[in-house]
Amino acid sequence: MTLTTTEARGVATGQPDLWCTYAALRTLAWLRRPDGVVQPQATARYLASRRNADGGYAWSRGMASDAWATYYCTQGLADLARLGVSDQKAAGLDRTRDWLRSTWSGSAFAMMPGQLPDAWATFFSTRTTLETCGEDVPDRERLLAWLGALQAPDGGLGWTPEYAEDGVSDVRACFYGVMAWRALTRTGDAPAPWDTGRLISWMRDQQSAEGGFRFSPAADVPCMWATYRTTAALAALGTGPADPEACAAWIARLRGPGGAFVRWDGYGVEDVWASFCAVGSLVAMGKPADAYAEDVTRRMTELACAGGGYTYREPALAADALATSAALLAGSPEAAADDGEPLRRWLEGCLLPNEGGVMYMPARGSEVRCTLWALEAGAFRRDQASRKRVADWLRDLQNPDGGFGYWEGRGSDVVSTVSAIEVRRLLGPSHRDALDTEALLGFLDACRTEEGSGNVPGAAPTLRATLQALRARELAGRPEPGAVREALDRHRVSSGGYANEGRRIPDLLTTYEAVLTADRYQIPVDIAHLRAFCDRVVTPGGTAWTPLAPPEGSDRLADCLGTLLLRRAKGQPGTLPALTLS
């Protein structure tokens, strides 16, 4: 396999990423190297800035809180304190505690209120509740029972009890389940709720002949991510790999020219996740990491961003799938060369071993929204083998409740579910079996209210979620044009654009969804009304997400959506691509 992400260049924003920042700080904390934290106060401010008024934290400003971001932000702040380089602490822990409790399902934690619980979120929120907020979980006995139900017939753990019943195990789910249990054992007597002998045996069986670990028997190659998750879970159970020396030797072989690590054999970028997983694996196995500390610390400093935080590789080269797709779709200068083929080659290089979707950043996990953006930008248009890989991945990504989450094992939401059915549309009629349409409609029904749809079951309805669900229904052969017209009328702002809630404050994402859905349903768009909105947000200095917040320089995603809307307002040919974010 040719991994083109090491040969072609995508579009980099130079901005920090939350997961990368956490991984860099945790790696430096393991190595006890505060000198690797380039801008500690700016990094602390970056993490703190993701806190929402509800007490939770979000992946980026303006997005809803979720357990993933809340864990990584609060853990990152704690690591800065452990390294002695910052005294900024997570603020308002009483509100964070209350927000976490709002995600409690009665037996475990969900990623956000209204979703079904999963192993990812339960690990994140159990640790944040116990370690950061200093509170106990709402019901320890029921949580232990839920964790116990994660064990599949093969002995491994699944993402949810439903996944376990279907026989789907993954070493990442094993890690999250085991580490949630371990967090509970630190505050009381909580014996392991599994047949630990079978669990240990299943995890050990994922060790390859090369020495590293795979996610599951279905994975193609061993990788650092799977190796760290497995060795850490085994260590928490008081044991280790069947062949720890082979594992340590495999890790040592995956050093790049700079002395830091790559995630698997054949991928040439020494990225933040590979070093995080390599050092974490050595720590879990009780192996010394000192011999690598100097090179890894130096590499972490090279990944620091100018305004604080870290990204996955050198900021000037740290391209991502959304920004690269946006450049192609908007016809940005970078897309002019060779009809955009270099950028498309880079996007296609984000389809890497073990998972069949497009990754937000190379060597990360596949994400359904990024896959949609990449396909809309023309990736894999002549590569039928890769399109089949995407279809196979999409089929396995569908959750037991019929919906889709951002990535494998994450709880379902409307954003991800409409992204999935849009991906199927782009793959073409030969991949109609890439998802279960009736099950998908069942999930959408669970999110429906009298006034529209929320993003997850039980959530308040918004225009974006309502339009996304109605677009998914149209693609599933159940169009509801009357509901589209009613929703658009209810949220139309007289001065131009559409509001996600009420009808007072329009925003770019909602207005884009409104025009896209109207076009899909062949409902006429008031061009003067659209042009009035575009005139307020599309400026020579960049596109604003809302008329109330002028742009602070260029934002790749906002500029893309603004450019496409303005073209539509000017009557230029072409249809709006189905681009969803939140």
Side-chain angles (χ1 to χ4, degrees):
M1 177 182 294
T2 300
L3 304 181
T4 57
T5 47
T6 61
E7 303 163 4
R9 288 183 62 173
V11 175
T13 65
Q15 298 300 308
D17 176 78
L18 177 54
W19 175 201
C20 299
T21 300
Y22 162 80
L25 295 176
R26 181 55 51 91
T27 304
L28 294 168
W30 278 327
L31 295 173
R32 301 180 298 281
R33 292 296 297 263
D35 52 315
V37 185
V38 178
Q39 297 187 73
Q41 301 310 319
T43 298
R45 288 193 296 272
Y46 163 71
L47 293 169
S49 72
R50 269 48 193 167
R51 184 177 183 274
N52 287 326
D54 60 14
Y57 292 72
W59 174 51
S60 63
R61 289 180 181 176
M63 293 188 70
S65 299
D66 66 33
W68 179 90
T70 301
Y71 174 79
Y72 286 130
C73 286
T74 55
Q75 288 286 314
L77 290 169
D79 279 335
L80 288 169
R82 291 188 196 103
L83 288 163
V85 295
S86 173
D87 58 2
Q88 183 165 342
K89 299 179 180 179
L93 290 180
D94 56 338
R95 292 187 65 81
T96 302
R97 174 204 62 206
D98 292 343
W99 182 82
L100 290 167
R101 285 183 176 270
S102 74
T103 71
W104 178 254
S105 72
S107 55
F109 289 99
M111 198 67 78
M112 56 178 57
Q115 285 186 309
L116 293 177
D118 60 60
W120 301 88
T122 295
F123 162 78
F124 295 141
S125 295
T126 297
R127 288 197 58 181
T128 306
T129 297
L130 294 169
E131 299 171 8
T132 302
C133 298
E135 299 281 341
D136 201 357
V137 298
D139 190 325
R140 180 179 291 263
E141 185 175 340
R142 293 191 70 178
L143 176 54
L144 285 168
W146 187 88
L147 290 171
L150 296 180
Q151 190 157 35
D154 62 11
L157 302 188
W159 301 111
T160 67
E162 293 76 18
Y163 271 97
E165 289 176 5
D166 289 342
V168 179
S169 300
D170 191 291
V171 299
R172 292 167 294 184
C174 294
F175 170 88
Y176 292 123
V178 168
M179 299 308 281
W181 161 75
R182 182 174 177 181
L184 289 167
T185 66
R186 291 172 180 163
T187 57
D189 182 20
W194 310 287
D195 180 335
T196 53
R198 293 175 60 240
L199 174 56
I200 289 168
S201 178
W202 186 86
M203 286 193 286
R204 283 178 170 170
D205 285 348
Q206 307 320 307
Q207 187 170 18
S208 67
E210 298 95 326
F213 285 80
R214 295 185 174 92
F215 290 135
S216 71
D220 297 324
V221 298
C223 74
M224 282 290 186
W225 190 10
T227 299
Y228 168 56
R229 295 311 189 200
T230 311
T231 54
L234 289 169
L237 292 169
T239 186
D243 192 342
E245 300 307 320
C247 184
W250 178 82
I251 292 170
R253 289 197 300 273
L254 290 190
R255 295 179 78 188
F261 295 89
V262 299
R263 186 164 149 188
W264 51 65
D265 188 25
Y267 184 73
V269 178
E270 297 170 47
D271 62 41
V272 68
W273 303 295
S275 288
F276 164 77
C277 293
V279 173
S281 297
L282 294 170
V283 169
M285 292 188 293
K287 302 290 185 182
D290 294 346
Y292 310 119
E294 198 66 36
D295 289 335
V296 170
T297 301
R298 181 176 61 252
R299 183 58 173 164
M300 294 302 107
T301 66
E302 295 171 354
L303 312 184
C305 297
Y310 294 78
T311 187
Y312 73 100
R313 61 172 306 179
E314 304 90 332
L317 299 175
D320 69 72
L322 293 178
T324 302
S325 298
L328 284 162
L329 291 162
S332 298
E334 301 94 332
D338 297 326
D339 192 31
E341 279 305 308
L343 295 187
R344 275 186 282 273
R345 283 203 307 274
W346 186 89
L347 283 173
E348 290 163 356
C350 291
L351 192 67
L352 296 174
N354 299 330
E355 293 186 283
V358 172
M359 301 172 173
Y360 172 58
M361 293 171 168
R364 190 165 164 158
S366 299
E367 299 187 18
V368 69
R369 293 175 306 169
C370 299
T371 304
L372 172 60
W373 280 62
L375 288 171
E376 285 284 19
F380 314 116
R381 54 188 177 182
R382 291 186 291 271
D383 185 349
Q384 293 304 315
S386 292
R387 292 170 75 86
K388 183 180 184 305
R389 279 193 64 197
V390 172
D392 292 343
W393 168 77
L394 193 67
R395 186 180 301 109
D396 292 339
L397 191 67
Q398 190 164 15
N399 285 325
D401 64 6
F404 288 77
Y406 287 169
W407 58 73
E408 183 179 355
R410 177 162 173 169
S412 303
D413 59 73
V414 170
V415 170
S416 303
T417 301
V418 71
S419 297
I421 198 167
E422 294 281 11
V423 166
R424 187 182 72 172
R425 171 183 63 85
L426 292 167
L427 291 174
S430 61
H431 297 292
R432 293 290 298 173
D433 63 345
L435 52 79
D436 183 335
T437 300
E438 290 303 317
L440 182 147
L441 288 168
F443 171 74
L444 295 178
D445 287 341
C447 298
R448 195 163 198 165
T449 72
E450 291 184 0
E451 296 183 353
S453 178
N455 188 42
V456 297
T462 64
L463 180 58
R464 285 205 297 274
T466 298
L467 296 178
Q468 289 158 2
L470 290 168
R471 216 164 56 248
R473 291 179 187 280
E474 189 270 337
L475 289 172
R478 309 284 177 81
E480 297 185 20
V484 174
R485 291 189 180 92
E486 182 181 346
L488 293 174
D489 289 344
R490 187 185 306 127
H491 294 276
R492 187 179 191 274
V493 179
S494 58
S495 60
Y498 291 84
N500 195 37
E501 300 175 14
R503 60 191 311 168
R504 294 181 56 197
I505 304 173
D507 67 84
L508 181 63
L509 279 176
T510 306
T511 302
Y512 189 91
E513 292 273 6
V515 178
L516 167 64
T517 310
D519 285 350
R520 188 69 63 81
Y521 272 84
Q522 299 182 335
I523 295 172
V525 173
D526 183 338
I527 296 300
H529 177 257
L530 174 60
R531 185 60 184 265
F533 174 79
C534 291
D535 288 346
R536 296 174 67 193
V537 297
V538 182
T539 74
T543 302
W545 289 106
T546 171
L548 300 183
E552 299 178 1
S554 178
D555 182 301
R556 289 284 185 178
L557 305 189
D559 289 346
C560 172
L561 297 177
T563 297
L564 294 171
L565 274 181
L566 188 57
R567 288 177 187 167
R568 176 70 178 82
K570 291 180 177 179
Q572 296 179 5
T575 59
L576 288 181
L579 306 178
T580 60
L581 277 176
S582 68

